[in-house]
Amino acid sequence: MTEKTDFFDLHSRMKNDHYRGQLGGGEKKNEICMFLPIGERKMYTLAVEDSGTGTLTLAGDLTIQHARELKEALIDAVTQSMHLNLNFKDVERVDLAGLQILCAAHRSLLGRSKTLAIVSQVPDAFKAAVKVAGYDRCIEQEDPSGLWRGGN
């Protein structure tokens, strides 16, 4: 029987195996991760408290051009946090790729019995992208965080 593994779990295992090989087996705790596309401002910052609560602050564009950075930030957030707070305060644009990556992270959190909360005002750009993509209709029943309805 094969074990069901989601994308975030598989990528995280590969990434952690790589870190262990490079760093001699140490664990990452209380780490702040920043993902900076060359020549641009900080887009994603993750801070994880000792309690296991992580806060991922998103800024700029959650678009196909920044999909890799967003995916990396969310993989770290999902694997390092028992409870994840999302802060959308400086998000300017969102497209389908950004929504799909957020959806995968959200489902991964739910599948691991972890929780998600929105800790900022959700920008109109995010709300509009959710509505245009139809996420507000198809995911609502699995949305205790309110992410796909525009926040709590």
Side-chain angles (χ1 to χ4, degrees), residues 27 64 83 99 111 141:
E27 289 188 30
I64 188 73
H83 173 78
L99 291 177
Q141 68 277 6

Side-chain angles (χ1 to χ4, degrees), residues 49-147:
E49 300 172 9
D50 288 332
S51 66
T53 297
T55 299
L56 181 62
T57 302
L58 305 171
D61 298 342
L62 308 182
T63 60
I64 188 73
Q65 292 83 2
H66 305 289
R68 182 179 54 83
E69 294 90 357
L70 177 59
K71 180 184 82 171
E72 292 289 330
L74 285 164
I75 288 170
D76 284 344
V78 167
T79 56
Q80 294 182 39
S81 306
M82 287 305 297
H83 173 78
L84 179 62
N85 293 322
L86 282 181
N87 184 332
F88 286 94
K89 71 178 182 176
D90 293 321
V91 170
E92 296 168 6
R93 289 185 287 193
V94 181
D95 69 6
L96 185 58
L99 291 177
Q100 289 172 330
I101 294 167
L102 284 165
C103 180
H106 185 216
R107 290 187 183 277
S108 186
L109 284 164
L110 291 174
R112 296 168 187 221
S113 299
K114 295 182 177 186
T115 57
L116 174 75
I118 310 303
V119 295
S120 67
Q121 182 70 22
V122 177
D124 291 338
F126 184 85
K127 292 176 187 177
V130 166
K131 185 173 178 103
V132 168
Y135 277 59
D136 60 334
R137 292 185 308 273
C138 66
I139 301 178
E140 190 170 310
Q141 68 277 6
E142 295 180 38
D143 188 21
S145 67
L147 175 64

